[in-house]
Amino acid sequence: MSTPSSPLASPTSNANRHRRRISLPPWKGAKPIPLAISILIGILFRFAVPKPHQLSTKAWQLLAIFLTTISGLILGPLPVGAWAFLCLTLTVVTKTLTFAAAFAAFTNEVIWLIVASFFFSRGFIKTGLGDRVALCFVSWLGKNTLGLSYGLALSEATISPAIPSTTARAGGIFLPIIKSLAVTADSHPKDDSAKKLGAYLVQSQLQCSSSSSALFLTAAAQNLLCVKLAEGLGVKISSKWLTWFKVSCIPALVSLLATPVILYKIFPPEMKDTPDAPLMARRRLDQMGPIKSDQWVMMIVMLVTVALWISGEALGLASVITAMLGLSLLLAFGILDWDDCLSEKSAWDTLAWFGVLIGMATQLTTLGVVAWMSNAVANFLKSLSLHWFGAFCVLQSAYFFIHYLFASQTAHVAALYSAFLGMCLASKVPALFAALALGYNTNLFGALTHYSSGQAAVYYGAGYVELRDVFKLGIIFALINIVIWGLVGAGWWKILGLY
Protein backbone atom coordinates (compact mmCIF):
# COMPACT_ATOMS: atom_id res chain seq x y z
CA MET A 1 0.00 0.00 0.00
CA SER A 2 1.34 3.46 -0.91
CA THR A 3 1.86 6.03 1.79
CA PRO A 4 0.29 9.47 1.28
CA SER A 5 2.86 12.14 0.64
CA SER A 6 3.38 14.74 3.30
CA PRO A 7 4.42 18.34 2.64
CA LEU A 8 7.12 17.95 5.27
CA ALA A 9 8.34 14.73 3.70
CA SER A 10 8.69 16.08 0.15
CA PRO A 11 10.32 19.55 0.07
CA THR A 12 11.81 18.89 -3.39
CA SER A 13 8.40 18.19 -4.84
CA ASN A 14 6.97 21.38 -3.31
CA ALA A 15 9.88 23.44 -4.68
CA ASN A 16 9.33 22.00 -8.15
CA ARG A 17 5.63 22.85 -8.00
CA HIS A 18 6.49 26.36 -6.81
CA ARG A 19 8.94 26.86 -9.67
CA ARG A 20 6.34 25.68 -12.16
CA ARG A 21 3.85 28.19 -10.78
CA ILE A 22 6.19 31.16 -11.18
CA SER A 23 7.82 30.10 -14.49
CA LEU A 24 7.50 32.72 -17.23
CA PRO A 25 6.27 31.98 -20.74
CA PRO A 26 8.95 31.84 -23.44
CA TRP A 27 10.07 35.25 -24.73
CA LYS A 28 8.55 36.04 -28.12
CA GLY A 29 9.91 39.53 -28.65
CA ALA A 30 13.16 40.90 -30.03
CA LYS A 31 16.33 38.84 -29.59
CA PRO A 32 17.89 40.42 -26.50
CA ILE A 33 21.60 40.32 -27.43
CA PRO A 34 21.23 41.62 -31.04
CA LEU A 35 18.79 44.25 -29.72
CA ALA A 36 21.22 45.41 -27.04
CA ILE A 37 24.18 45.56 -29.43
CA SER A 38 22.23 47.48 -32.08
CA ILE A 39 20.98 50.07 -29.59
CA LEU A 40 24.38 50.35 -27.89
CA ILE A 41 26.07 51.14 -31.21
CA GLY A 42 23.72 54.06 -31.78
CA ILE A 43 24.01 55.37 -28.21
CA LEU A 44 27.81 55.20 -28.19
CA PHE A 45 28.01 56.96 -31.54
CA ARG A 46 25.57 59.66 -30.47
CA PHE A 47 27.14 60.49 -27.10
CA ALA A 48 30.72 59.16 -27.14
CA VAL A 49 31.86 60.27 -30.60
CA PRO A 50 32.51 64.03 -30.87
CA LYS A 51 30.15 65.77 -33.29
CA PRO A 52 31.89 67.56 -36.18
CA HIS A 53 31.22 71.29 -36.17
CA GLN A 54 29.99 71.08 -39.79
CA LEU A 55 26.93 69.02 -38.78
CA SER A 56 23.88 69.96 -36.74
CA THR A 57 22.81 68.02 -33.66
CA LYS A 58 19.77 66.76 -35.57
CA ALA A 59 21.97 65.42 -38.38
CA TRP A 60 24.31 63.67 -35.92
CA GLN A 61 21.36 62.17 -34.07
CA LEU A 62 19.81 60.88 -37.30
CA LEU A 63 23.15 59.32 -38.27
CA ALA A 64 23.24 57.52 -34.90
CA ILE A 65 19.71 56.17 -35.43
CA PHE A 66 20.65 55.17 -38.98
CA LEU A 67 23.64 53.20 -37.65
CA THR A 68 21.33 51.49 -35.16
CA THR A 69 18.97 50.65 -38.03
CA ILE A 70 21.75 49.17 -40.17
CA SER A 71 23.17 47.24 -37.20
CA GLY A 72 19.75 45.72 -36.65
CA LEU A 73 19.44 44.74 -40.29
CA ILE A 74 22.74 42.88 -39.96
CA LEU A 75 22.18 41.33 -36.50
CA GLY A 76 18.44 40.70 -36.85
CA PRO A 77 16.83 41.41 -33.45
CA LEU A 78 13.47 41.57 -35.26
CA PRO A 79 12.22 40.85 -38.79
CA VAL A 80 13.46 43.50 -41.21
CA GLY A 81 10.15 45.33 -41.60
CA ALA A 82 9.42 45.38 -37.87
CA TRP A 83 12.91 46.65 -37.02
CA ALA A 84 12.73 49.38 -39.65
CA PHE A 85 9.36 50.55 -38.30
CA LEU A 86 10.70 50.60 -34.74
CA CYS A 87 13.65 52.77 -35.80
CA LEU A 88 11.39 55.05 -37.82
CA THR A 89 9.22 55.50 -34.72
CA LEU A 90 12.37 56.41 -32.79
CA THR A 91 13.16 59.24 -35.23
CA VAL A 92 9.70 60.72 -34.61
CA VAL A 93 9.63 60.19 -30.83
CA THR A 94 13.04 61.86 -30.41
CA LYS A 95 11.90 64.69 -32.74
CA THR A 96 14.84 63.97 -35.02
CA LEU A 97 12.37 63.99 -37.92
CA THR A 98 8.84 65.24 -38.22
CA PHE A 99 6.11 62.73 -39.01
CA ALA A 100 5.83 64.11 -42.55
CA ALA A 101 9.59 63.87 -43.14
CA ALA A 102 9.79 60.38 -41.66
CA PHE A 103 7.10 59.03 -43.98
CA ALA A 104 7.88 61.18 -47.04
CA ALA A 105 9.79 58.35 -48.76
CA PHE A 106 6.67 56.17 -48.89
CA THR A 107 5.58 58.23 -51.89
CA ASN A 108 8.90 57.55 -53.62
CA GLU A 109 8.23 56.24 -57.13
CA VAL A 110 11.13 53.75 -57.00
CA ILE A 111 9.61 51.97 -54.01
CA TRP A 112 6.30 51.53 -55.79
CA LEU A 113 8.08 50.41 -58.93
CA ILE A 114 9.78 47.69 -56.87
CA VAL A 115 6.44 46.70 -55.30
CA ALA A 116 4.90 46.43 -58.78
CA SER A 117 7.84 44.26 -59.86
CA PHE A 118 6.91 41.66 -57.26
CA PHE A 119 3.41 41.49 -58.76
CA PHE A 120 4.82 41.05 -62.28
CA SER A 121 6.97 38.19 -60.98
CA ARG A 122 3.88 36.57 -59.49
CA GLY A 123 2.15 36.82 -62.86
CA PHE A 124 5.03 35.07 -64.63
CA ILE A 125 5.01 32.27 -62.07
CA LYS A 126 1.20 31.97 -61.82
CA THR A 127 0.70 31.66 -65.59
CA GLY A 128 3.64 29.25 -65.99
CA LEU A 129 5.21 31.47 -68.66
CA GLY A 130 8.55 31.57 -66.84
CA ASP A 131 8.63 27.76 -66.62
CA ARG A 132 7.81 27.48 -70.32
CA VAL A 133 10.68 29.77 -71.36
CA ALA A 134 13.19 27.95 -69.14
CA LEU A 135 12.08 24.50 -70.33
CA CYS A 136 12.42 25.58 -73.97
CA PHE A 137 16.07 26.49 -73.37
CA VAL A 138 16.67 23.20 -71.54
CA SER A 139 15.18 21.21 -74.43
CA TRP A 140 17.44 23.04 -76.92
CA LEU A 141 20.75 23.05 -75.03
CA GLY A 142 20.49 20.39 -72.33
CA LYS A 143 22.14 17.34 -73.94
CA ASN A 144 25.13 17.65 -71.59
CA THR A 145 25.68 19.26 -68.21
CA LEU A 146 27.53 22.28 -69.54
CA GLY A 147 24.88 22.92 -72.18
CA LEU A 148 22.21 22.48 -69.54
CA SER A 149 23.78 25.16 -67.35
CA TYR A 150 23.96 27.51 -70.35
CA GLY A 151 20.33 26.84 -71.17
CA LEU A 152 19.24 27.76 -67.64
CA ALA A 153 21.50 30.83 -67.48
CA LEU A 154 20.42 32.18 -70.87
CA SER A 155 16.75 31.61 -70.14
CA GLU A 156 17.09 33.66 -66.94
CA ALA A 157 18.84 36.45 -68.83
CA THR A 158 16.00 36.39 -71.40
CA ILE A 159 13.18 36.87 -68.88
CA SER A 160 15.10 39.02 -66.38
CA PRO A 161 14.05 42.45 -67.73
CA ALA A 162 10.41 41.46 -67.25
CA ILE A 163 10.87 39.97 -63.74
CA PRO A 164 12.68 42.60 -61.66
CA SER A 165 13.28 40.23 -58.75
CA THR A 166 16.21 37.83 -58.83
CA THR A 167 14.84 36.07 -55.76
CA ALA A 168 11.49 35.47 -57.47
CA ARG A 169 13.23 34.07 -60.54
CA ALA A 170 15.30 31.77 -58.35
CA GLY A 171 12.59 30.48 -56.05
CA GLY A 172 9.64 30.54 -58.39
CA ILE A 173 11.14 29.29 -61.65
CA PHE A 174 14.70 28.01 -61.76
CA LEU A 175 15.26 26.16 -58.49
CA PRO A 176 12.19 23.91 -59.03
CA ILE A 177 13.46 23.05 -62.53
CA ILE A 178 17.01 22.39 -61.28
CA LYS A 179 15.73 20.16 -58.48
CA SER A 180 13.60 18.22 -60.93
CA LEU A 181 16.57 17.73 -63.28
CA ALA A 182 18.84 16.70 -60.41
CA VAL A 183 16.39 14.19 -58.94
CA THR A 184 15.87 12.69 -62.40
CA ALA A 185 19.65 12.17 -62.54
CA ASP A 186 19.58 10.58 -59.05
CA SER A 187 21.34 13.59 -57.50
CA HIS A 188 19.86 14.43 -54.11
CA PRO A 189 20.44 17.26 -51.59
CA LYS A 190 22.49 16.74 -48.40
CA ASP A 191 23.83 13.50 -49.84
CA ASP A 192 26.98 12.20 -51.50
CA SER A 193 25.09 12.28 -54.79
CA ALA A 194 24.64 16.10 -54.58
CA LYS A 195 27.80 16.71 -56.60
CA LYS A 196 26.63 14.38 -59.33
CA LEU A 197 24.59 17.19 -60.94
CA GLY A 198 22.59 19.30 -58.49
CA ALA A 199 25.46 21.15 -56.80
CA TYR A 200 26.95 22.30 -60.10
CA LEU A 201 23.65 23.48 -61.56
CA VAL A 202 22.67 25.33 -58.38
CA GLN A 203 26.00 27.11 -58.08
CA SER A 204 26.18 27.89 -61.80
CA GLN A 205 22.72 29.44 -61.76
CA LEU A 206 23.51 31.49 -58.65
CA GLN A 207 26.75 32.89 -60.06
CA CYS A 208 25.20 33.57 -63.48
CA SER A 209 22.26 35.38 -61.86
CA SER A 210 24.67 38.15 -60.84
CA SER A 211 25.40 38.90 -64.50
CA SER A 212 21.73 38.57 -65.51
CA SER A 213 20.75 41.07 -62.82
CA ALA A 214 23.45 43.51 -63.91
CA LEU A 215 22.53 43.28 -67.60
CA PHE A 216 19.22 45.18 -67.56
CA LEU A 217 18.05 48.10 -65.43
CA THR A 218 14.75 46.34 -64.71
CA ALA A 219 16.33 42.95 -63.94
CA ALA A 220 16.73 43.73 -60.22
CA ALA A 221 15.08 46.11 -57.78
CA GLN A 222 18.40 47.44 -56.49
CA ASN A 223 19.29 48.74 -59.97
CA LEU A 224 16.33 51.08 -59.95
CA LEU A 225 17.22 52.26 -56.47
CA CYS A 226 20.83 52.98 -57.50
CA VAL A 227 19.65 55.17 -60.38
CA LYS A 228 17.23 57.04 -58.11
CA LEU A 229 19.88 57.72 -55.47
CA ALA A 230 22.40 58.77 -58.12
CA GLU A 231 19.94 61.33 -59.49
CA GLY A 232 19.46 62.59 -55.95
CA LEU A 233 23.17 63.44 -55.90
CA GLY A 234 22.93 65.32 -59.18
CA VAL A 235 24.08 62.60 -61.61
CA LYS A 236 22.23 62.98 -64.90
CA ILE A 237 21.34 59.70 -66.66
CA SER A 238 19.56 60.14 -69.96
CA SER A 239 17.52 57.27 -71.44
CA LYS A 240 18.10 55.27 -68.26
CA TRP A 241 17.14 51.81 -69.53
CA LEU A 242 19.18 52.07 -72.74
CA THR A 243 22.16 53.71 -71.03
CA TRP A 244 22.29 51.00 -68.37
CA PHE A 245 22.12 48.23 -71.00
CA LYS A 246 24.59 49.86 -73.39
CA VAL A 247 27.21 50.21 -70.64
CA SER A 248 26.64 46.77 -69.08
CA CYS A 249 26.04 44.55 -72.11
CA ILE A 250 29.63 43.58 -73.06
CA PRO A 251 31.10 42.81 -69.59
CA ALA A 252 27.82 41.22 -68.41
CA LEU A 253 27.58 38.90 -71.42
CA VAL A 254 31.27 37.96 -71.19
CA SER A 255 30.84 37.14 -67.51
CA LEU A 256 27.60 35.25 -68.19
CA LEU A 257 29.23 33.10 -70.88
CA ALA A 258 32.46 32.52 -68.94
CA THR A 259 30.93 31.54 -65.60
CA PRO A 260 29.50 28.06 -66.42
CA VAL A 261 32.68 26.84 -68.14
CA ILE A 262 34.99 28.19 -65.38
CA LEU A 263 32.82 26.57 -62.73
CA TYR A 264 32.83 23.36 -64.81
CA LYS A 265 36.63 23.30 -64.42
CA ILE A 266 36.97 24.20 -60.74
CA PHE A 267 33.75 22.60 -59.38
CA PRO A 268 33.04 19.83 -61.91
CA PRO A 269 29.85 17.76 -61.84
CA GLU A 270 30.27 14.00 -61.72
CA MET A 271 27.73 13.61 -64.52
CA LYS A 272 28.96 15.10 -67.81
CA ASP A 273 26.12 14.05 -70.14
CA THR A 274 22.42 14.63 -69.50
CA PRO A 275 20.54 12.94 -72.36
CA ASP A 276 17.37 12.73 -70.25
CA ALA A 277 17.18 16.48 -69.59
CA PRO A 278 15.85 17.51 -73.04
CA LEU A 279 13.41 14.59 -72.92
CA MET A 280 12.16 15.67 -69.49
CA ALA A 281 11.81 19.27 -70.66
CA ARG A 282 9.88 18.27 -73.79
CA ARG A 283 7.69 15.96 -71.74
CA ARG A 284 6.81 18.77 -69.35
CA LEU A 285 6.17 21.13 -72.26
CA ASP A 286 3.83 18.52 -73.76
CA GLN A 287 2.02 18.30 -70.42
CA MET A 288 1.62 22.08 -70.44
CA GLY A 289 0.09 21.90 -73.90
CA PRO A 290 0.04 24.84 -76.33
CA ILE A 291 0.57 28.36 -75.04
CA LYS A 292 -2.56 29.32 -73.12
CA SER A 293 -4.42 32.61 -73.42
CA ASP A 294 -3.19 33.78 -70.01
CA GLN A 295 0.40 33.23 -71.10
CA TRP A 296 -0.16 35.15 -74.34
CA VAL A 297 -1.63 38.06 -72.41
CA MET A 298 1.21 37.96 -69.88
CA MET A 299 3.78 37.89 -72.69
CA ILE A 300 2.19 40.78 -74.60
CA VAL A 301 1.73 42.94 -71.50
CA MET A 302 5.34 42.44 -70.43
CA LEU A 303 6.69 43.11 -73.93
CA VAL A 304 4.70 46.35 -74.03
CA THR A 305 5.84 47.26 -70.51
CA VAL A 306 9.51 46.64 -71.31
CA ALA A 307 9.16 48.61 -74.57
CA LEU A 308 7.72 51.54 -72.61
CA TRP A 309 10.50 51.26 -70.04
CA ILE A 310 12.99 51.56 -72.90
CA SER A 311 11.25 54.44 -74.68
CA GLY A 312 9.49 55.99 -71.71
CA GLU A 313 11.73 59.03 -71.43
CA ALA A 314 11.09 59.98 -75.06
CA LEU A 315 7.35 59.53 -74.50
CA GLY A 316 7.37 61.38 -71.19
CA LEU A 317 6.33 58.27 -69.22
CA ALA A 318 8.04 57.60 -65.91
CA SER A 319 9.01 53.99 -65.21
CA VAL A 320 6.58 53.72 -62.30
CA ILE A 321 3.67 54.92 -64.50
CA THR A 322 4.59 52.23 -67.03
CA ALA A 323 4.61 49.63 -64.26
CA MET A 324 1.21 50.85 -63.04
CA LEU A 325 -0.20 50.54 -66.57
CA GLY A 326 1.19 47.02 -66.94
CA LEU A 327 -0.17 45.93 -63.56
CA SER A 328 -3.57 47.47 -64.33
CA LEU A 329 -3.73 45.46 -67.57
CA LEU A 330 -2.86 42.23 -65.73
CA LEU A 331 -5.65 42.95 -63.23
CA ALA A 332 -8.14 43.95 -65.93
CA PHE A 333 -7.51 40.77 -67.96
CA GLY A 334 -7.68 38.57 -64.84
CA ILE A 335 -4.10 37.37 -65.07
CA LEU A 336 -3.73 38.58 -61.49
CA ASP A 337 -6.54 39.22 -59.05
CA TRP A 338 -6.42 41.54 -56.07
CA ASP A 339 -5.98 38.61 -53.68
CA ASP A 340 -2.75 37.78 -55.53
CA CYS A 341 -1.50 41.28 -54.78
CA LEU A 342 -2.65 41.22 -51.17
CA SER A 343 -1.00 37.86 -50.53
CA GLU A 344 2.36 38.98 -51.98
CA LYS A 345 3.82 39.56 -48.50
CA SER A 346 7.35 40.21 -49.74
CA ALA A 347 6.09 43.22 -51.74
CA TRP A 348 4.41 44.87 -48.76
CA ASP A 349 7.31 44.02 -46.47
CA THR A 350 9.70 45.65 -48.93
CA LEU A 351 7.46 48.72 -49.06
CA ALA A 352 7.73 49.03 -45.27
CA TRP A 353 11.44 48.66 -44.64
CA PHE A 354 12.60 50.06 -47.97
CA GLY A 355 10.62 53.23 -47.39
CA VAL A 356 12.29 53.68 -44.00
CA LEU A 357 15.82 53.22 -45.35
CA ILE A 358 15.32 55.47 -48.36
CA GLY A 359 13.72 58.10 -46.15
CA MET A 360 16.63 58.10 -43.71
CA ALA A 361 19.21 58.10 -46.52
CA THR A 362 17.43 61.03 -48.19
CA GLN A 363 17.32 63.02 -44.95
CA LEU A 364 21.00 62.30 -44.29
CA THR A 365 21.76 63.79 -47.70
CA THR A 366 19.52 66.80 -47.04
CA LEU A 367 21.13 67.45 -43.65
CA GLY A 368 24.63 67.35 -45.16
CA VAL A 369 25.87 64.13 -43.59
CA VAL A 370 26.67 62.40 -46.91
CA ALA A 371 28.53 65.45 -48.19
CA TRP A 372 30.56 65.67 -44.96
CA MET A 373 31.52 61.98 -45.08
CA SER A 374 32.33 62.16 -48.79
CA ASN A 375 34.61 65.16 -48.43
CA ALA A 376 36.38 63.67 -45.42
CA VAL A 377 37.23 60.45 -47.27
CA ALA A 378 38.04 62.30 -50.49
CA ASN A 379 40.49 64.57 -48.64
CA PHE A 380 42.13 61.52 -47.07
CA LEU A 381 42.54 59.84 -50.46
CA LYS A 382 43.86 63.10 -51.88
CA SER A 383 46.47 63.21 -49.12
CA LEU A 384 47.72 59.84 -50.42
CA SER A 385 48.27 61.53 -53.80
CA LEU A 386 45.91 59.10 -55.52
CA HIS A 387 44.72 59.82 -59.04
CA TRP A 388 40.94 59.76 -59.39
CA PHE A 389 41.16 56.27 -60.90
CA GLY A 390 43.12 55.01 -57.87
CA ALA A 391 40.51 56.49 -55.54
CA PHE A 392 37.80 54.89 -57.67
CA CYS A 393 39.43 51.44 -57.34
CA VAL A 394 39.82 51.79 -53.56
CA LEU A 395 36.22 52.89 -53.08
CA GLN A 396 34.78 50.24 -55.41
CA SER A 397 36.72 47.48 -53.63
CA ALA A 398 35.59 48.69 -50.21
CA TYR A 399 31.97 48.93 -51.39
CA PHE A 400 32.16 45.39 -52.80
CA PHE A 401 33.76 43.50 -49.93
CA ILE A 402 31.92 45.28 -47.14
CA HIS A 403 28.93 43.26 -48.36
CA TYR A 404 30.16 40.42 -46.14
CA LEU A 405 28.36 42.40 -43.41
CA PHE A 406 25.04 42.60 -45.26
CA ALA A 407 22.26 40.10 -45.87
CA SER A 408 20.49 42.13 -48.56
CA GLN A 409 21.60 43.90 -51.71
CA THR A 410 18.89 46.54 -51.42
CA ALA A 411 19.76 47.20 -47.78
CA HIS A 412 23.39 47.63 -48.82
CA VAL A 413 22.39 50.15 -51.48
CA ALA A 414 20.13 52.09 -49.14
CA ALA A 415 22.83 52.19 -46.47
CA LEU A 416 25.98 52.89 -48.46
CA TYR A 417 25.38 53.74 -52.12
CA SER A 418 24.87 57.48 -51.65
CA ALA A 419 27.87 57.75 -49.34
CA PHE A 420 30.23 55.90 -51.68
CA LEU A 421 28.97 57.73 -54.75
CA GLY A 422 29.45 60.99 -52.91
CA MET A 423 33.04 59.98 -52.09
CA CYS A 424 33.65 59.15 -55.75
CA LEU A 425 32.28 62.49 -56.88
CA ALA A 426 34.36 64.34 -54.29
CA SER A 427 37.42 62.45 -55.59
CA LYS A 428 36.70 63.79 -59.11
CA VAL A 429 35.63 60.39 -60.52
CA PRO A 430 33.43 60.97 -63.62
CA ALA A 431 29.86 61.03 -62.31
CA LEU A 432 28.09 58.61 -64.68
CA PHE A 433 31.02 56.19 -64.60
CA ALA A 434 31.01 56.09 -60.78
CA ALA A 435 27.22 55.79 -60.47
CA LEU A 436 26.88 52.90 -62.92
CA ALA A 437 29.96 51.02 -61.68
CA LEU A 438 28.61 51.02 -58.13
CA GLY A 439 25.25 49.83 -59.49
CA TYR A 440 26.83 46.92 -61.35
CA ASN A 441 28.90 46.01 -58.28
CA THR A 442 25.68 45.80 -56.30
CA ASN A 443 24.64 42.85 -58.46
CA LEU A 444 28.03 41.13 -58.60
CA PHE A 445 28.33 40.66 -54.83
CA GLY A 446 24.93 38.95 -54.66
CA ALA A 447 26.62 35.50 -54.81
CA LEU A 448 29.41 36.26 -52.34
CA THR A 449 27.93 34.21 -49.46
CA HIS A 450 24.84 32.15 -48.67
CA TYR A 451 23.26 35.18 -46.98
CA SER A 452 24.39 37.94 -49.34
CA SER A 453 21.09 38.08 -51.27
CA GLY A 454 17.64 36.56 -51.42
CA GLN A 455 18.57 34.32 -54.34
CA ALA A 456 21.73 33.12 -52.55
CA ALA A 457 19.62 32.05 -49.58
CA VAL A 458 17.12 30.30 -51.88
CA TYR A 459 19.79 28.30 -53.71
CA TYR A 460 21.73 27.44 -50.55
CA GLY A 461 18.49 26.34 -48.89
CA ALA A 462 18.10 23.66 -51.56
CA GLY A 463 20.82 21.72 -49.72
CA TYR A 464 23.01 20.81 -52.70
CA VAL A 465 26.08 22.94 -51.95
CA GLU A 466 28.07 22.69 -48.72
CA LEU A 467 28.74 25.89 -46.82
CA ARG A 468 32.51 25.75 -47.26
CA ASP A 469 32.03 25.49 -51.03
CA VAL A 470 29.65 28.46 -50.97
CA PHE A 471 32.27 30.70 -49.35
CA LYS A 472 35.14 29.34 -51.47
CA LEU A 473 33.32 29.72 -54.78
CA GLY A 474 31.87 33.05 -53.68
CA ILE A 475 35.26 34.70 -53.27
CA ILE A 476 36.71 32.99 -56.37
CA PHE A 477 33.93 34.28 -58.62
CA ALA A 478 33.99 37.67 -56.91
CA LEU A 479 37.61 38.02 -58.02
CA ILE A 480 36.85 36.60 -61.48
CA ASN A 481 34.01 39.09 -61.97
CA ILE A 482 36.19 41.96 -60.76
CA VAL A 483 38.80 40.97 -63.36
CA ILE A 484 36.25 40.58 -66.17
CA TRP A 485 34.43 43.83 -65.43
CA GLY A 486 37.71 45.61 -64.67
CA LEU A 487 39.38 44.63 -67.95
CA VAL A 488 36.57 44.04 -70.45
CA GLY A 489 34.34 46.64 -68.86
CA ALA A 490 37.02 49.30 -68.63
CA GLY A 491 37.92 48.88 -72.30
CA TRP A 492 34.29 49.01 -73.39
CA TRP A 493 33.54 52.03 -71.22
CA LYS A 494 36.55 53.84 -72.63
CA ILE A 495 35.16 53.25 -76.14
CA LEU A 496 31.80 54.65 -74.99
CA GLY A 497 33.56 57.74 -73.61
CA LEU A 498 32.36 57.11 -70.08
CA TYR A 499 35.67 58.36 -68.65
Side-chain angles (χ1 to χ4, degrees), residues 185-235:
D186 201 27
S187 177
H188 302 281
K190 299 178 182 179
D191 186 78
D192 291 339
S193 64
K195 289 188 176 181
K196 187 176 182 181
L197 182 64
Y200 170 77
L201 291 181
V202 163
Q203 197 62 25
S204 174
Q205 196 67 15
L206 171 60
Q207 296 297 338
C208 287
S209 68
S210 299
S211 300
S212 299
S213 299
L215 185 57
F216 301 103
L217 176 61
T218 52
Q222 62 268 12
N223 298 345
L224 301 162
L225 178 57
C226 288
V227 169
K228 181 66 177 179
L229 293 175
E231 289 181 330
L233 291 177
V235 180

Side-chain angles (χ1 to χ4, degrees), residues 37 46 134 136 153 156 270 303 320 324 338 356 366 382 407 411 419 459 470:
I37 293 173
R46 171 65 179 86
C136 285
E156 179 168 11
E270 295 172 2
L303 286 174
V320 68
M324 291 171 64
W338 191 238
V356 173
T366 302
K382 191 180 297 181
Y459 284 124
V470 171

Side-chain angles (χ1 to χ4, degrees), residues 67-104:
L67 290 175
T68 291
T69 305
I70 298 304
S71 300
L73 293 180
I74 295 170
L75 300 174
L78 285 170
V80 172
W83 179 251
F85 185 80
L86 187 153
C87 293
L88 183 66
T89 302
L90 184 61
T91 65
V92 178
V93 170
T94 59
K95 298 185 178 180
T96 306
L97 296 176
T98 64
F99 182 88
F103 282 87

Side-chain angles (χ1 to χ4, degrees), residues 397-483:
S397 299
Y399 181 77
F400 191 104
F401 288 106
I402 204 172
H403 193 65
Y404 275 110
L405 301 177
F406 283 88
S408 165
Q409 290 165 288
T410 45
H412 187 135
V413 172
L416 298 177
Y417 181 88
S418 294
F420 273 82
L421 179 56
M423 295 175 204
C424 287
L425 298 179
S427 301
K428 308 302 182 185
V429 180
L432 184 59
F433 176 55
L436 293 179
L438 285 170
Y440 299 140
N441 254 345
T442 301
N443 293 283
L444 299 181
F445 56 49
L448 197 56
T449 66
H450 63 298
Y451 60 84
S452 58
S453 62
Q455 63 270 22
V458 167
Y459 284 124
Y460 175 71
Y464 279 97
V465 185
E466 295 181 8
L467 191 57
R468 65 175 182 271
D469 290 325
V470 171
F471 275 91
K472 180 179 71 176
L473 294 170
I475 187 61
I476 288 173
F477 275 95
L479 297 174
I480 289 172
N481 278 319
I482 288 172
V483 170

Side-chain angles (χ1 to χ4, degrees), residues 124-198:
F124 253 85
I125 295 167
K126 181 180 178 181
T127 60
L129 183 58
D131 286 341
R132 184 179 290 277
V133 172
L135 290 169
C136 285
F137 275 92
V138 170
S139 67
W140 297 334
L141 301 173
K143 292 182 180 179
N144 55 60
T145 303
L146 187 59
L148 188 57
S149 66
Y150 275 112
L152 292 167
L154 292 174
S155 60
E156 179 168 11
T158 300
I159 65 175
S160 63
I163 305 183
S165 170
T166 319
T167 305
R169 296 197 299 267
I173 297 174
F174 291 98
L175 183 59
I177 292 175
I178 289 172
K179 289 170 71 174
S180 179
L181 290 167
V183 170
T184 301
D186 201 27
S187 177
H188 302 281
K190 299 178 182 179
D191 186 78
D192 291 339
S193 64
K195 289 188 176 181
K196 187 176 182 181
L197 182 64

